[in-house]
Amino acid sequence: MIVLDSIYGKHIVEGVLEELILSKPVQRLKGIHQGGASYLVNEKWDVTRFDHSLGVMLLIKALGGSLEEQIAGLLHDVSHTAFSHVIDFVLDCKDEDYHEKIYDHVIMESEIPFILKKYGFDCEVIVQSKWELLEQPAPELCADRVDYTLRDMYQYGHITLESVQDFLDHVIIINGRMYLDNIESAEWFVKTYYSEVIDFFMNPLNIYGYDVLAKTLKLALAKNLISLDDLLGTDEEVMSLLSSTEDHEVKNLLKRIHGNVKVIENQLEYDLHRKNKVRLIDPSVIEGTQLLRASSLSERVKKMGMEAYEKASKGIYLKVISD
């Protein structure tokens, strides 16, 4: 199989990775948008979980990760429900981790264990091991965090492929973890990351879309018009279920989710106040024989972190101009 990724280019994939990519759980991710409700209010916000999962796998490979960790990277998002993190607002999951809670179940109930066994891999080892290139607690770098940041910001026109490649050229691996070899690359990524989690995730239109869609799903679940199992389908499949209902409350909410919505930030006169999970980044940089936090080496990084924390903690106050 030849895969062509918008960031990492052309790669040949075979064996267990090829079969996993073609499996139903991974193929389903083509119908799950990374930004949740985002594409419903802006059709250009169209990165999918499949794009990201494939990218994480390729990034781990490029960084020298084992085949097992590449598999884990490819599979890490298969349990995301339709509309991704919108479900966390539906079910009030403050850590935005519903997909992690159901991960083992989704994997074990699929054909994935059989595919892994066919190639001599233990599914429980893949699923339960701590893969240090794939995931690290904030504020450090990891393949998951790096890929979704680079992918969204490139796709939506905020950074260039040249700047992405320059950044990746300065990633170094020490004891299986990602670090940077200069402060300039750290400053660039911190700025890019906050463009993602503050300017994009907390974009007023994004916040509006999440809020109205979460209310729609919550109401539809409460009225048994859809089930949590239905949410293990694609965005389009769930939207079709919602659109086909005769329930007026659900229909009226759905009508408010479209690409011509006008919203602004207004702390004094607002219709909606929403806080997202606070996401901060402060990657470690190698200085001689030491690993030091970027914020200890750069006032710019320190300031960006403080500003991001303040905005995320305060949340967004929205006034709806027209919906």
Side-chain angles (χ1 to χ4, degrees), residues 140-300:
E140 289 291 3
L141 301 179
C142 63
D144 180 25
R145 195 169 290 125
V146 166
D147 182 82
Y148 71 65
T149 302
L150 299 181
R151 187 166 301 278
D152 282 355
M153 291 298 95
Y154 169 66
Q155 183 79 7
Y156 305 144
H158 296 278
I159 57 176
T160 66
L161 274 182
E162 290 76 17
S163 61
V164 168
Q165 189 55 58
D166 181 68
F167 166 74
L168 292 175
D169 286 344
H170 291 285
V171 172
I172 56 174
I173 307 301
I174 301 175
N175 296 327
R177 299 184 182 185
M178 298 175 69
Y179 301 105
L180 294 168
D181 66 9
N182 67 55
I183 189 60
E184 291 78 18
S185 295
E187 289 175 336
W188 180 87
F189 187 78
V190 169
K191 180 178 183 296
T192 303
Y193 182 78
Y194 288 137
S195 292
E196 168 85 344
V197 302
I198 301 297
D199 300 336
F200 176 56
F201 288 178
M202 296 181 67
N203 181 293
L205 194 56
N206 229 341
I207 295 294
Y208 171 88
Y210 264 70
D211 183 74
V212 180
L213 183 56
K215 287 175 179 173
T216 306
L217 293 173
K218 196 165 193 172
L219 183 62
L221 285 167
K223 293 188 173 190
N224 294 316
L225 300 173
I226 61 171
S227 67
L228 284 175
D229 283 343
D230 290 328
L231 292 175
L232 290 173
T234 64
D235 295 352
E236 185 177 341
E237 288 168 346
V238 175
M239 189 56 71
S240 179
L241 288 173
L242 294 172
S243 299
S244 65
T245 181
E246 296 301 319
D247 187 275
H248 293 298
E249 287 183 285
V250 169
K251 280 186 172 295
N252 287 334
L253 282 169
L254 277 181
K255 288 178 182 177
R256 296 174 55 197
I257 310 171
H258 55 81
N260 294 315
V261 173
K262 304 294 181 187
V263 293
I264 60 171
E265 286 191 62
N266 189 325
Q267 291 188 47
L268 300 178
E269 300 179 24
Y270 60 91
D271 301 303
L272 166 66
H273 175 234
R274 169 57 61 88
K275 289 184 181 182
N276 285 3
K277 175 182 175 181
V278 176
R279 291 176 168 90
L280 300 175
I281 197 76
D282 190 5
S284 293
V285 179
I286 186 85
E287 284 280 308
T289 58
Q290 290 185 299
L291 283 168
L292 302 173
R293 292 278 191 212
S295 59
S296 70
L297 301 170
S298 167
E299 282 299 318
R300 184 182 173 203

Side-chain angles (χ1 to χ4, degrees), residues 262-264 271 319-323:
K262 304 294 181 187
V263 293
I264 60 171
D271 301 303
K319 182 172 181 60
V320 179
I321 305 301
S322 67
D323 61 0

